[in-house]
Amino acid sequence: LLLASDSSLWVGTFGDSLYHITAGSSLQVIPHAFKGINSLYQSKEGDFWIATDKGLVLMQSNQFTIPDPNSLAHFIEGMAYDERREIFYYCTKETLVVLTPQRTGNTFLSRRLFFNEQSYFQALRIGEQGLWAGIDFRVILFDQGVAKNTWDFSSEGNFVHDLFVDSKQNVWVSQADNSNIIVIRPNHSIQRYHLPLQKQSEINLTREGKAGIYVAASGLSAYLFYKPHEANAFKNISVPVPFSVQSDLNITDLAVSEDEVLWLASTEGLLRYSAGTIERVNLGETFSALSVSSVEMLDDDNVLFANSFGLFRYNIKSKDYWLYDEHSGLPSNTVTDQGI
């Protein structure tokens, strides 16, 4: 028996079952074959450690919920959060949806803002002027759910796959098959910066540091570029990687910490770039060299990243990591590029 921190009772048996009893509710059977429970322990984090005849079992509550059940039938291309209005946006290939939190319970009101079977959404970003969306060859600015302005870049390259709004409200546009970074200024004028890419390389995304703009790309000798805010051109700051690569190095996402350390999601694992040096984060034999699709700073001490096993939290100081997957409530272990 275990009396949990919420005053509920957990009952283990020598059979396959674990039971949960709460005040005023019926008996709940946990859907797992435990094969003989000998002891139960609850940690201060709320996790349950269960000693069984077949080994030690860790049981955790689902830490993720699905805000819109309708999204389960679709591949989510992008998402954005409007902190000022406290609403979420997400897009599938042809649809833009807004989610509004409800006052009662952990529920959301879902409303479709845009639908066109011929469209292909790939990127969403929130700025002071509204919601910026990358749709096939175009960038569309939405205000209060209405399309206010459209820029068509079909003559310059392929699909627009990433947008970034910097601290000065400039919108940085990354487009496939285009060696120029396109910038939409707050007054809606257009500026372009050329990048000396390798042959068959692509500009993947743009992010901002304290003093300038970083661009991530593909190519072993041209995967990272930097431009101070006052400069007129980008500089290649890529350095040789201290490990053998399985294919051409591709940076799929980038996060900048407060101390200007860059965390790179790459086809060769999670990479750490600082002051002109680069290293691969040691995550053990299974995870170290596995392709990473997305990375984001959670806080000063923790980095979130994703690979084919699910979502990870990596502690910068202790170098410990935690895995969150379908057993933690994720509907899928697959997190898309820039999906955190």
Side-chain angles (χ1 to χ4, degrees):
L1 297 176
L2 173 67
L3 183 63
S5 56
D6 61 357
S7 298
S8 63
L9 186 65
W10 293 85
V11 181
T13 71
F14 290 129
D16 289 348
S17 299
L18 173 65
Y19 301 93
H20 187 207
I21 304 173
T22 57
S25 70
S26 58
L27 191 69
Q28 178 189 6
V29 182
I30 305 303
H32 182 81
F34 288 94
K35 302 297 183 183
I37 297 174
N38 301 310
S39 180
L40 299 167
Y41 170 75
Q42 184 182 24
S43 70
K44 62 180 181 180
E45 292 84 9
D47 300 335
F48 291 90
W49 295 87
I50 304 167
T52 76
D53 291 345
K54 297 297 182 179
L56 187 64
V57 177
L58 171 62
M59 184 175 69
Q60 299 172 307
S61 60
N62 285 345
Q63 301 182 51
F64 300 90
T65 58
I66 299 173
D68 184 8
N70 295 324
S71 67
L72 288 174
H74 303 279
F75 186 90
I76 307 304
E77 299 284 351
M79 62 180 181
Y81 176 55
D82 188 335
E83 294 185 16
R84 181 173 57 87
R85 299 173 60 201
E86 296 185 337
I87 56 177
F88 296 85
Y89 297 92
Y90 75 84
C91 59
T92 64
K93 173 182 174 292
E94 66 283 322
T95 307
L96 175 62
V97 178
V98 60
L99 299 177
T100 305
Q102 302 301 286
R103 294 183 178 180
T104 56
N106 190 23
T107 59
F108 294 80
L109 176 65
S110 173
R111 181 166 60 93
R112 190 170 71 177
L113 294 179
F114 182 94
F115 175 80
N116 186 332
E117 288 185 346
Q118 305 304 315
S119 296
Y120 203 123
F121 280 89
Q122 285 199 300
L124 297 177
R125 283 287 175 175
I126 291 291
E128 292 180 358
Q129 297 190 44
L131 174 69
W132 297 85
I135 309 175
D136 44 63
F137 307 95
R138 299 165 293 160
V139 174
I140 298 181
L141 173 60
F142 290 88
D143 184 23
Q144 303 292 321
V146 178
K148 291 294 187 180
N149 211 335
T150 300
W151 293 262
D152 189 334
F153 300 111
S154 57
S155 63
E156 301 188 40
N158 211 315
F159 280 9
V160 172
H161 52 243
D162 186 74
L163 300 174
F164 180 75
V165 182
D166 68 18
S167 56
K168 297 181 180 180
Q169 297 304 303
N170 299 301
V171 180
W172 297 79
V173 181
S174 299
Q175 183 181 22
D177 198 27
N178 188 350
S179 59
N180 294 323
I181 281 283
I182 302 169
V183 186
I184 304 175
R185 300 298 184 189
N187 63 1
H188 295 177
S189 63
I190 303 295
Q191 186 172 358
R192 294 167 179 83
Y193 294 94
H194 179 74
L195 269 69
L197 299 175
Q198 290 182 263
K199 290 183 178 180
Q200 299 181 333
S201 292
E202 296 281 2
I203 296 173
N204 291 331
L205 57 105
T206 306
R207 296 296 182 263
E208 185 177 19
K210 289 182 178 180
I213 299 294
Y214 295 95
V215 172
S218 58
L220 194 57
S221 63
Y223 57 84
L224 190 62
F225 298 84
Y226 177 70
K227 183 187 80 68
H229 287 309
E230 67 278 3
N232 296 319
F234 280 87
K235 179 182 178 182
N236 185 356
I237 59 171
S238 309
V239 295
V241 296
F243 50 83
S244 59
V245 298
Q246 302 301 313
S247 61
D248 198 18
L249 181 65
N250 190 25
I251 307 301
T252 55
D253 202 1
L254 183 156
V256 187
S257 68
E258 282 295 318
D259 54 357
E260 210 71 10
V261 173
L262 307 186
W263 298 89
L264 309 177
S266 84
T267 48
E268 301 294 329
L270 179 64
L271 310 181
R272 181 185 184 276
Y273 180 99
S274 177
T277 62
I278 192 167
E279 62 180 329
R280 181 159 55 194
V281 177
N282 184 4
L283 300 168
E285 183 178 353
T286 302
F287 301 127
S288 290
L290 204 62
S291 180
V292 174
S293 62
S294 186
V295 65
E296 188 64 63
M297 298 301 303
L298 177 63
D299 52 38
D300 291 344
D301 295 332
N302 293 278
V303 178
L304 296 175
F305 70 94
N307 60 30
S308 59
F309 281 82
L311 176 69
F312 288 75
R313 175 168 63 91
Y314 174 75
N315 186 277
I316 298 171
K317 295 180 179 178
S318 69
K319 303 188 185 307
D320 294 326
Y321 63 85
W322 294 259
L323 170 62
Y324 307 92
D325 55 15
E326 293 174 348
H327 298 294
S328 304
L330 287 177
S332 170
N333 290 343
T334 302
V335 179
T336 58
D337 290 356
Q338 298 111 51
I340 301 176

